[in-house]
Amino acid sequence: MIINDQHKFQAIISHAKEYGFVFQSSEIYDGLSAVYDYGPWGSELKKNIRESWWNAMTRMHDNIVGIDAAIFMHPTTWKASGHVDNFSDPMIDNKDSKKRYRVDHLLEAAADELVKAGKQADAEKMLTDMDTLLAANDFAGLKQLIETNKIKCSVSGTCHWTDVRQFNLMFSTQLGSVSEEASEIYLRPETAQGIFVNFLNVQKTARMKIPFGIAQVGKAFRNEIVARQFIFRMREFEQMEMQFFIRPGTQKEWYAYWKEERMKWHQSFGIPADNYRFHDHVKLAHYADAAVDIEFAFPIGWKEVEGIHSRTDFDLKNHQQFSGKKLQYFDTEINQHYIPYVIETSIGLDRMFLLTLCHAYQEEKWQKEDGTEDSRVVLKIPAKVAPIKLAVLPLLKKEGLPEIAREIMASCRDEFYCFYEEKDTIGKRYRRMDALGTPFCVTVDHQTKEDRTVTIRYRDTMQQERIPMDGLAQFIKKKMS
Ligand code: GAP
């Protein structure tokens, strides 16, 4: 299935900006391509997703602990990991505009155009051919595929292409103050290596026995050549990765275990299962002996959100060789020293954020009792990660109602994120909270003064009911769980 709803995708991008979720970085200077800033509600949503992942991986597993490694690492790290030699993508330049494209992105964009023109089968064939040629590192074949399909440069509009060549995606910078003394170091392109180089530190200090995992969340940087699709592909992004260290020979069963476990986490957000699928890698990364993507049906098509990789002992073995330090584990159960094998789960936090927005965003229209039409844009974000859980709205700005609303704020804000709003009509405030994805609103009115009850309004159904204001925090926590 190829899905294509550019209208919806553009609407989500506009909504994200208008309601303070995501802004283009350095916008006042016309922005920086493929770099984004998260606004008040975006940073809150992102933090909640990060926490959900962190808790699911560390707190819910006795044998997984977390770390927070530095972004800068010794430059040899990237030699050992294979990134200096292998972390590159096939690129092609247009001879007239000099614009450079990642070959797979160029072909994917052309496939999107074919789908828009109703040529679904042609699009699928082109993508299948691309996968086969990429897997075979057949650069001449890839150029041929671009030429046969008459794919044009979006700037010059011509089909004058160079040969396909490989370009490294790592950013580098100088460490040291004086240029002669400075040495070139890289901004990490994945967080995983911070885990590998700390493998023994963590195993010993946290007294871990194999099988065990190390989890980490942090920034990663890639000089992505094609900067499109909003926060789907960024140059600075955040990864949530976990390396699970296992006895060699057990990788198949642990790979299957983590595939299932990670899919369960995705489905714990209440998103229907048919929005997800597994996609086995045809072309394996330089470190993997098996790899699968968890893909999601984004409005721009089925796209990867998470990778699960069986990384063998590739990384630890290479770090042992390049550092000259033993990175072995003594397994008391079998009385043997060995370099552990690794199953990795790696998900992009920004991509998970985009997935959440895409699924949550809905434009609803209905007929009112008087026959007129009404509409709203609502973000049906799962309550557990919604930026604001509860909006507290006094009906009027006077007559003692704000004071009671403030009392409710004081009783709930310790438990979850609450938002106080007294401007505008109640209808407008409800709409604004719908657009921010707030699952619960309570309204304080004159009856509250008499019997300490409030009206609670549920975002998804717009249903309202009267409930006691005392014990509200517990009531909402119960609803969220
Ligand atoms: N350590 C393994 C690794 O980095 P990857 O498939 O290259 O594997 C893992 O990346 C995840 O990181 C992807 O599934 C995606 O969610 C996210 N990711 C990768 N490149 C990204 C980019 N340029 N922008 C946003 N997210 C990205």
Side-chain angles (χ1 to χ4, degrees):
M1 173 172 47
I2 295 183
I3 314 130
N4 204 308
D5 191 348
Q6 284 297 336
H7 164 78
K8 182 174 177 190
F9 197 57
Q10 289 311 318
I12 292 166
I13 297 172
S14 306
H15 190 91
K17 181 178 176 196
E18 190 182 340
Y19 286 93
F21 283 87
V22 182
F23 310 124
Q24 175 82 60
S25 159
S26 332
E27 196 186 76
I28 59 166
Y29 295 105
D30 295 333
L32 190 63
S33 162
V35 187
Y36 290 89
D37 299 337
Y38 287 82
W41 311 125
S43 52
E44 198 66 29
L45 171 58
K46 196 173 170 196
K47 177 191 67 93
N48 294 343
I49 297 173
R50 190 190 292 119
E51 270 178 20
S52 162
W53 181 88
W54 185 260
N55 291 341
M57 296 308 256
T58 60
R59 264 199 228 166
M60 303 310 286
H61 290 95
D62 292 340
N63 58 351
I64 302 182
V65 287
I67 63 162
D68 183 8
I71 288 172
F72 291 144
M73 300 184 70
H74 193 284
T76 311
T77 307
W78 306 108
K79 216 44 214 147
S81 68
H83 284 81
V84 171
D85 296 325
N86 294 314
F87 193 56
S88 50
D89 276 319
M91 308 278 186
I92 194 163
D93 295 7
N94 182 266
K95 288 182 186 164
D96 299 317
S97 67
K98 312 284 180 238
K99 189 170 162 59
R100 179 165 295 160
Y101 295 88
R102 245 176 81 169
V103 167
D104 55 337
H105 296 171
L106 187 66
L107 285 160
E108 278 168 9
D112 285 347
E113 291 305 315
L114 286 174
V115 173
K116 274 190 220 157
K119 298 178 178 172
Q120 190 119 345
D122 291 350
E124 287 186 3
K125 179 172 179 339
M126 187 196 287
L127 294 179
T128 311
D129 288 350
M130 177 185 84
D131 278 348
T132 313
L133 293 164
L134 282 172
N137 272 333
D138 183 348
F139 294 167
L142 285 164
K143 184 179 180 188
Q144 183 77 50
L145 186 64
I146 289 168
E147 287 177 343
T148 317
N149 283 284
K150 299 194 174 53
I151 297 174
K152 291 184 182 140
C153 165
S154 59
V155 177
S156 67
T158 67
C159 303
H160 300 147
W161 298 108
T162 61
D163 286 341
V164 174
R165 289 168 293 171
Q166 295 270 33
F167 286 89
N168 198 290
L169 295 181
M170 282 197 293
F171 282 105
S172 69
T173 187
Q174 305 296 320
L175 188 74
S177 50
V178 187
S179 63
E180 305 89 74
E181 289 172 10
S183 65
E184 188 184 32
I185 57 165
Y186 298 102
L187 273 73
R188 65 181 178 199
E190 62 170 13
T191 59
Q193 298 306 323
I195 294 179
F196 287 122
V197 299
N198 278 300
F199 159 67
L200 274 188
N201 284 338
V202 175
Q203 188 265 317
K204 287 188 177 142
T205 55
R207 300 156 62 90
M208 304 305 282
K209 280 176 79 177
I210 270 178
F212 75 92
I214 305 177
Q216 175 169 222
V217 181
K219 290 270 185 167
F221 304 83
R222 293 182 191 178
N223 196 2
E224 299 283 3
I225 299 301
V226 179
R228 302 185 277 123
Q229 298 168 328
F230 190 40
I231 56 171
F232 182 81
R233 192 166 277 119
M234 303 158 88
R235 294 200 166 108
E236 175 181 341
F237 57 100
E238 214 167 321
Q239 284 187 317
M240 307 191 284
E241 298 200 298
M242 193 275 305
Q243 314 297 320
F244 198 70
F245 299 92
I246 54 172
R247 197 181 282 167
T250 60
Q251 63 268 35
K252 271 208 178 113
E253 65 201 71
W254 283 114
Y255 179 66
Y257 170 86
W258 281 109
K259 261 177 83 171
E260 196 183 318
E261 191 73 5
R262 293 303 305 145
M263 192 57 110
K264 269 196 221 151
W265 180 79
H266 282 278
Q267 282 164 14
S268 74
F269 283 76
I271 298 175
D274 61 359
N275 286 266
Y276 287 99
R277 72 180 185 191
F278 286 115
H279 174 79
D280 287 314
H281 282 210
V282 185
K283 184 177 193 287
L284 291 174
H286 58 272
Y287 48 73
D289 75 351
V292 67
D293 291 337
I294 296 181
E295 291 190 339
F296 181 76
F298 285 94
I300 47 173
W302 282 104
K303 302 271 177 201
E304 168 189 352
V305 60
E306 170 155 11
I308 295 142
H309 311 125
S310 172
R311 288 181 82 127
T312 65
D313 58 356
F314 176 90
D315 302 85
L316 288 180
K317 202 162 74 186
N318 280 4
H319 285 307
Q320 173 167 291
Q321 187 194 327
F322 278 76
S323 68
K325 310 270 164 30
K326 270 212 156 65
L327 291 179
Q328 293 194 343
Y329 172 82
F330 181 65
D331 192 328
T332 48
E333 275 176 34
I334 52 172
N335 231 7
Q336 259 181 35
H337 280 101
Y338 57 77
I339 297 179
Y341 270 40
V342 170
I343 303 296
E344 166 184 74
T345 71
S346 173
I347 173 167
L349 175 52
D350 311 86
R351 225 170 256 190
M352 188 60 204
F353 179 102
L354 182 61
L355 180 160
T356 309
L357 272 194
C358 289
H359 182 71
Y361 182 91
Q362 291 180 28
E363 294 170 7
E364 292 182 344
K365 273 200 183 102
W366 66 94
Q367 218 167 33
K368 293 196 290 191
E369 274 171 15
D370 64 6
T372 57
E373 214 174 60
D374 208 349
S375 66
R376 66 169 182 164
V377 170
V378 55
L379 293 184
K380 293 187 175 169
I381 301 175
K384 68 174 178 177
V385 291
I388 302 168
K389 311 288 191 230
L390 173 70
V392 184
L393 316 171
L395 192 61
L396 301 173
K397 278 192 233 171
K398 53 189 180 184
E399 296 169 18
L401 303 188
E403 287 74 11
I404 304 178
R406 289 284 177 199
E407 190 191 327
I408 295 177
M409 285 290 290
S411 71
C412 293
R413 67 190 332 163
D414 244 12
E415 306 286 339
F416 40 73
Y417 200 111
C418 305
F419 187 79
Y420 177 85
E421 175 123 85
E422 57 180 26
K423 267 188 268 142
D424 290 327
T425 63
I426 200 74
K428 276 196 184 151
R429 281 182 268 168
Y430 283 156
R431 286 291 181 278
R432 191 171 148 69
M433 285 302 132
D434 286 344
L436 295 178
T438 307
F440 309 101
C441 292
V442 292
T443 304
V444 175
D445 56 19
H446 291 98
Q447 196 183 325
T448 316
K449 287 209 289 190
E450 286 163 22
D451 61 8
R452 291 182 72 79
T453 63
V454 287
T455 302
I456 186 161
R457 180 212 185 241
Y458 301 103
R459 175 196 67 196
D460 295 354
T461 57
M462 295 191 278
Q463 300 279 306
Q464 302 188 7
E465 64 175 319
R466 200 90 204 167
I467 56 164
M469 66 176 254
D470 300 309
L472 183 64
Q474 284 315 313
F475 178 89
I476 286 178
K477 278 170 83 174
K478 208 166 162 197
K479 286 271 173 206
M480 283 197 293
S481 68

